């Protein structure tokens, strides 16, 4: 079934060596529109042999791609960004239909994807080494070289945007990539791979093998000829991939989600805070690794702020992504069930359900925006990532208690502080254990700002110039300067 603004093929093959190709096992599986539960197309299930072929093709392509002059690499990657922009409406419609997100959120993801290609294109000819002074008898310098083949495993929450986040820096650094997208939402990734080919990237530099974690993803991350791995998803899968990578001594970059706290002091502008918090937890139906999962409110303003948040949540228009509502469906039936389980767990633990908690009486995977208060730190809903539109509210009395609550989980991806006192904002930013701190705004990051986790939220940084470090290794070259008098007898 086609959604407004886009038409789909019946079947999508793998994208290897610059073209679509059927999977060697001949197997396809449906991808569904989360707003209806109906299949919209079938996507290839890549086999171990398909992964092997994609990795060999990438390996050959990488050997030539690394020698393409950096300005030319930059130009080609920039061209991908232009094509993303030329096809922005189609890409947004694909993402909205396949993933479920409201159209304007899908448009914003696509604009961000274009920016990754532009931003990293500009870095392609600036990846310089340095010279190291070691004394008069030696010249020493470093060069930054690509790893070779970058394997990238992506999740279903921002599929097209995260493809660009990983692929653009890998390419400008001179690597070839093999991407394994999540099976629920592979269509935008396949379209982007086709645009990479259309932009003139050499065949084999960007490959996509669709399929499941097991065996497709598993075959990719344990492949002997993969040189570096980028993974975004759950802690459990991240741990598993790290173990696989240990067997081949392959470096990993892991972005594993969060349980992100926002701390609100009485001197904050509560209307603005309510807007930031509702955007922070309900964007993409809460399926965001940097969502506000935990709202820590000073006890003196708890009721006032909660009222404002509940009013906004209860005014939300909920519906299919293509109608561009405030809130779309969750990605899958399985995920809807998981979020419901957490809501039950919260109720049973004694948290107060202030609003939401129910599915909508219609097809698709819809759930109301949900707010719990009286949440305490030992509850599971206070510690585990729900990845849905569920906000947990806590009370605190002073800064010290707020910091202890905020840092008292195993995650450390993002955190926020809302206050008008600058010294307090700095103290809190210093003491929060998180890779990103937002002050008086949520989702403050851009393509240019480094992003990644403390603690179990991950290893390494995506975005910004830091991301390039995951795709380059340093070679040191030491050259002895033989003394002419010693080396030329009689001279
Ligand atoms: P997941 O299991 O970690 O999946 C992420 C990706 O890894 C998918 O492409 C998945 O494919 C693949 N994968 C699974 N097992 C693999 C293996 N052994 N080797 C290689 N690749 C493998 O996450 P999920 O089940 O989709 O979501 C579960 C939870 O993860 C969510 O509720 C949320 O807490 C978290 N999550 C976090 C982020 C984030 O941005 N940090 C994004 C999405 C989800 P299959 O789906 O076929 O297994
Ligand atoms: Mg889908």
């Amino acid at each position: 079934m086609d959604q407004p603004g886009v038409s789909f093929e019946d079947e999508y093959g793998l994208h290897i060596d610059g073209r679509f190709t059927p999977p060697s096992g001949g197997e396809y599986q449906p991808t569904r529109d989360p707003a209806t539960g109906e299949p919209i197309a079938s996507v290839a299930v890549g086999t171990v042999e398909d992964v092997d072929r994609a990795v060999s093709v990438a390996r050959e392509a990488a050997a030539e791609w690394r020698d393409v002059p950096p300005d030319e690499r930059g130009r080609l990657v920039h061209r991908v960004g232009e094509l993303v922009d030329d096809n922005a409406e189609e890409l947004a419609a694909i993402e909205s239909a396949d993933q479920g997100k409201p159209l304007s959120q899908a448009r914003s993801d696509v604009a961000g994807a274009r920016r990754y290609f532009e931003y990293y294109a500009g870095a392609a000819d600036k990846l310089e080494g340095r010279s190291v002074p070691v004394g008069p008898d030696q010249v020493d310098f470093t060069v930054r070289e690509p790893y070779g083949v970058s394997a990238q495993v992506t999740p279903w929450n921002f599929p097209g945007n995260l493809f660009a986040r990983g692929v653009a820096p890998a390419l400008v650094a001179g690597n070839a990539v093999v991407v394994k997208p999540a099976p629920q939402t592979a269509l935008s990734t396949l379209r982007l791979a086709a645009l990479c080919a259309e932009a003139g990237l050499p065949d084999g530099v960007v490959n996509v093998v669709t399929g499941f974690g097991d065996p497709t993803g598993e075959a990719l991350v344990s492949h002997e000829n993969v040189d570096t791995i980028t993974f975004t998803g759950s802690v459990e899968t991240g741990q598993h991939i790290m173990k696989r990578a240990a067997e081949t001594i392959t470096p990993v970059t892991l972005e594993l989600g969060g349980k992100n706290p926002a701390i609100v002091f009485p001197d904050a502008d509560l209307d603005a805070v309510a807007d930031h918090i509702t955007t922070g937890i309900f964007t993409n139906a809460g399926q965001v690794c940097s969502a506000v999962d935990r709202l820590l409110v000073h006890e003196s303003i708890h009721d006032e702020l909660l009222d404002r948040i509940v009013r906004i949540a209860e005014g939300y228009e909920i519906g299919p992504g293509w109608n561009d509502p405030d809130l779309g469906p969750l990605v899958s039936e399985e995920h809807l069930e998981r979020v419901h389980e957490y809501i039950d767990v919260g109720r049973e633990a004694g948290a107060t359900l202030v609003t939401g908690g129910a599915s909508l009486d219609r097809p698709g995977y819809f759930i109301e925006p949900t707010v719990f208060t009286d949440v305490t730190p030992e509850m599971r809903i206070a510690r585990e990532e729900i990845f849905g539109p569920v906000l947990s509210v806590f009370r605190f009395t002073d800064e010290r208690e707020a910091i202890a609550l905020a840092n008292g989980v195993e995650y450390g991806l993002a955190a926020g502080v809302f206050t008008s006192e600058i010294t307090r904002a700095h103290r809190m930013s210093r003491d929060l254990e998180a890779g990103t701190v937002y002050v008086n705004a949520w989702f403050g990051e851009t393509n240019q700002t480094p992003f990644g986790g403390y603690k179990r939220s991950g290893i390494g940084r995506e975005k910004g110039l830091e991301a390039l470090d995951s795709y380059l290794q340093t070679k040191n070259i030491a050259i002895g300067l033989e003394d002419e008098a010693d080396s030329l007898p009689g001279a």
Side-chain angles (χ1 to χ4, degrees):
M1 191 182 70
D2 291 348
Q3 304 308 330
V6 65
S7 59
F8 294 107
E9 312 278 332
D10 291 340
E11 278 182 356
Y12 289 83
L14 313 168
H15 202 274
I16 300 178
D17 208 10
R19 60 194 65 86
F20 284 103
T21 170
S24 63
E27 199 191 327
Y28 292 79
Q29 59 104 26
T31 186
R32 293 172 192 281
D33 176 352
T36 60
E38 297 296 322
I40 49 178
S42 287
V43 177
V45 180
T47 62
V48 174
E49 295 79 68
D50 293 324
V51 169
D52 194 45
R53 191 172 147 245
V55 173
S56 341
V57 160
R59 194 155 195 86
E60 271 178 44
E64 296 192 8
W65 177 241
R66 61 179 288 158
D67 289 335
V68 171
D71 57 330
E72 178 61 10
R73 277 208 304 269
R75 217 170 281 129
L76 286 166
V77 170
H78 197 274
R79 180 76 192 125
V80 178
E82 289 166 359
L83 290 180
V84 169
D85 191 43
D86 292 349
N87 294 276
E89 271 306 296
E90 185 206 352
L91 283 163
I94 292 173
E95 199 78 303
S96 175
D98 200 17
Q99 200 276 347
K101 63 182 65 193
L103 202 51
S104 53
Q105 293 176 25
R107 287 189 179 119
S108 152
D109 291 5
V110 172
R114 171 201 180 178
R115 280 287 298 138
Y116 283 122
F117 289 107
E118 285 178 351
Y119 172 74
Y120 288 110
D125 54 1
K126 299 167 192 74
L127 303 172
E128 297 163 356
R130 60 196 179 98
S131 87
V132 185
V134 287
D137 297 333
Q138 195 169 307
V139 167
D140 193 289
F141 62 98
T142 66
V143 286
R144 304 184 77 195
E145 298 190 338
Y147 277 94
V149 177
S150 156
Q152 310 208 350
V153 178
T154 56
W156 42 254
N157 56 342
F158 289 87
N161 186 274
L162 295 184
F163 171 92
R165 182 174 90 176
V167 168
L171 291 182
V172 300
N175 302 275
V177 294
V178 180
V179 181
K180 204 296 283 177
Q184 300 88 343
T185 57
L187 298 179
S188 59
T189 297
L190 290 166
R191 185 70 186 107
L192 284 164
L195 291 177
C196 287
E198 194 182 326
L201 286 172
D203 290 347
V205 167
V206 175
N207 306 280
V208 175
V209 183
T210 47
F212 298 101
D214 190 14
T216 321
E218 191 73 32
L220 182 60
V221 298
S222 43
H223 202 290
E224 188 67 46
N225 284 331
V226 159
D227 303 299
T228 182
I229 298 171
T230 297
F231 171 74
T232 302
S234 62
V235 172
E236 195 186 7
T237 307
Q239 285 171 324
H240 179 83
I241 287 178
M242 215 172 150
K243 285 179 191 153
R244 284 281 169 275
E247 284 160 24
T248 50
I249 313 291
T250 302
V252 291
T253 300
L254 304 174
E255 201 260 272
L256 306 178
K259 191 70 188 174
N260 312 301
I263 305 175
V264 187
F265 289 94
D267 57 10
D269 170 351
L270 295 193
D271 287 326
V273 172
D275 283 339
H276 285 298
I277 298 302
T278 46
T279 303
I281 182 60
F282 300 131
T283 296
N284 202 22
Q287 303 165 120
V288 183
C289 48
S290 53
V292 184
D293 305 295
R294 299 182 292 147
L295 177 63
L296 282 42
V297 192
H298 190 269
E299 57 185 359
S300 66
I301 50 164
H302 172 272
D303 295 356
E304 262 181 278
L305 181 58
L306 197 61
D307 281 352
R308 285 169 165 82
I309 287 171
V310 168
R311 215 176 313 132
I312 295 173
E314 290 181 348
Y316 267 18
E317 184 200 332
I318 309 177
W322 67 84
N323 280 347
D324 205 17
D326 300 308
L327 189 76
L330 294 177
V331 72
S332 65
E333 187 164 19
E334 187 196 4
H335 191 52
L336 177 67
E337 279 168 20
R338 187 160 42 200
V339 173
H340 270 301
E341 265 174 45
Y342 273 111
I343 291 172
D344 292 344
V345 161
R347 278 198 180 106
E348 283 158 21
T352 308
L353 183 71
V354 192
T355 187
S359 282
L360 264 55
D361 185 19
R362 58 180 293 169
Y365 316 128
F366 294 94
I367 188 163
E368 295 171 331
T370 301
V371 180
F372 278 109
T373 193
D374 304 322
V375 181
T376 52
E378 72 291 349
M379 293 181 187
R380 276 181 62 200
I381 62 163
R383 291 182 282 116
E384 296 175 21
E385 187 177 40
I386 302 174
F387 228 59
V390 182
L391 181 69
S392 296
V393 184
F394 304 66
R395 297 165 217 253
F396 70 86
T397 53
D398 58 28
E399 278 184 28
R400 188 186 294 242
E401 187 189 6
I403 285 288
L405 272 172
N407 291 342
V409 294
E410 292 180 334
Y411 288 101
L413 190 63
V417 188
F418 292 85
T419 179
S420 54
E421 202 182 298
I422 190 163
T423 50
R424 172 142 65 198
H426 278 289
R427 273 196 307 277
M428 302 302 281
S429 304
R430 179 195 63 198
D431 292 342
L432 283 163
E433 294 169 357
T436 288
V437 176
Y438 308 120
V439 177
N440 293 332
W442 198 267
F443 295 140
E445 68 263 23
T446 72
N447 301 66
Q448 297 103 297
T449 53
F451 181 75
Y454 279 30
K455 304 196 286 192
R456 293 204 181 192
S457 288
I459 297 177
R461 292 293 175 268
E462 309 271 0
K463 311 170 84 159
L465 293 176
E466 276 83 349
L468 292 160
D469 296 340
S470 307
Y471 300 106
L472 290 162
Q473 49 190 339
T474 297
K475 179 183 281 176
N476 189 80
I477 300 177
I479 303 177
L481 302 179
E482 234 175 327
D483 191 319
E484 199 181 2
D486 297 342
S487 63
L488 294 176

